[in-house]
Amino acid sequence: MNVLMLSSSREGQHGYLETARPAILEHLAGINELLFVPFAGVTLGWDDYVEKVQLALPELKVTGIHQTADAVRAVNSAQAIAVGGGNTFNLLNELYKQDLLACIRDKVKNGLPYIGWSAGSNICGNSIRTTNDMPIIEPPSFDALQFVPFQINPHYTDYQPPGHNGETRAQRLAEFMVLNPAMPIVAIREGSALQRVDNQLTLTGPHPGILFLGGEQQDIPAGQDLSHLL
């Protein structure tokens, strides 16, 4: 497998995919065509989403999977596939609706390069039960692509706005741990990514992550080998 799971499309005040571009282009070395899945877009139209990614990655020819005559055939013939951010529930529902989940899983597990960011990374885990998104639609299952055998939480932050009395992200993930004590969660901050190359998994980027497991949390240094989680 060759899977790049980016926490986000933006970091700080940088432009769209600006800080992710080096990692994306390195991941796609020798590839000039990218099949893009825009299904996480809800307020953003899918054609507009494709154009946005194309502008950010002018080195590649970007084609929206919805713009092809046969989505399954498009996956089977793709050089690489990318799945963008937005609403994870809508994304997963559409993949089930179009019978694409198993097709994408099989192709990537057999070597098709995959890039996801935000929702597109969420679906790389065991399920989408640790997404930050509202369940605006109900997919047939929360089970996802399962490129890694644990939960992913992109956009992780420790920030608590002054005067805000709702739960922190860590508290929400602690709730998951109570009900699923044996299932790891890897939380990644904006600007960071998980990269799986065959049986090697690494936290890339400048920021540390956090491993939540069994009621405890442990910092993950940037650059850490996480292959033991596979």
Side-chain angles (χ1 to χ4, degrees):
M1 273 195 282
N2 191 11
V3 181
L4 181 63
M5 297 160 273
L6 298 155
S7 177
S8 58
S9 59
R10 286 190 177 90
E11 180 185 8
Q13 300 302 312
H14 293 282
Y16 187 71
L17 293 179
E18 182 180 351
T19 58
R21 272 178 47 82
I24 291 173
L25 295 177
E26 181 179 355
H27 190 74
L28 298 179
I31 291 172
N32 52 34
E33 294 185 6
L34 183 64
L35 182 66
F36 179 63
V37 178
F39 300 155
V42 179
T43 56
L44 177 62
W46 293 350
D47 286 343
D48 293 334
Y49 205 163
V50 173
E51 183 179 359
K52 187 175 185 178
V53 174
Q54 180 66 82
L55 289 172
L57 301 172
E59 299 86 352
L60 304 168
K61 178 184 178 183
V62 180
T63 301
I65 194 170
H66 67 290
Q67 299 168 329
T68 65
D70 186 325
V72 172
R73 182 176 296 178
V75 172
N76 287 329
S77 62
Q79 294 184 19
I81 187 167
V83 183
N87 187 276
T88 308
F89 292 93
N90 197 63
L91 167 60
L92 188 60
N93 184 68
E94 198 67 33
L95 291 175
Y96 273 111
K97 180 180 176 181
Q98 298 195 31
D99 293 324
L100 288 168
L101 201 71
C103 173
I104 293 172
R105 180 188 295 124
D106 291 344
K107 287 294 293 184
V108 173
K109 287 189 174 182
N110 283 286
L112 180 71
Y114 177 103
I115 298 169
W117 53 88
S118 191
S121 293
N122 252 319
I123 62 169
C124 293
N126 181 68
S127 77
I128 66 165
R129 290 177 294 157
T130 50
T131 178
N132 307 312
D133 303 326
M134 284 189 175
I136 60 174
I137 194 167
E138 183 178 4
S141 170
F142 291 157
D143 291 347
L145 289 169
Q146 300 174 350
F147 296 150
V148 291
F150 53 79
Q151 296 291 127
I152 301 174
N153 182 250
H155 296 284
Y156 183 81
T157 177
D158 302 305
Y159 179 68
Q160 178 78 340
H164 177 70
N165 296 309
E167 288 82 358
T168 64
R169 186 73 55 79
Q171 288 172 323
R172 289 299 191 195
L173 297 178
E175 293 173 340
F176 179 91
M177 285 193 290
V178 169
L179 300 181
N180 305 271
M183 175 60 70
I185 311 163
V186 177
I188 49 177
R189 292 179 168 87
E190 294 184 350
S192 296
L194 295 169
Q195 185 166 27
R196 178 170 186 177
V197 180
D198 297 327
N199 291 318
Q200 183 172 4
L201 179 70
T202 309
L203 175 67
T204 67
H207 307 298
I210 300 180
L211 173 65
F212 293 84
L213 178 62
E216 299 181 355
Q217 63 183 74
Q218 174 185 339
D219 288 341
I220 304 171
Q224 179 73 40
D225 187 317
L226 299 173
S227 303
H228 64 282
L229 294 176
L230 298 177

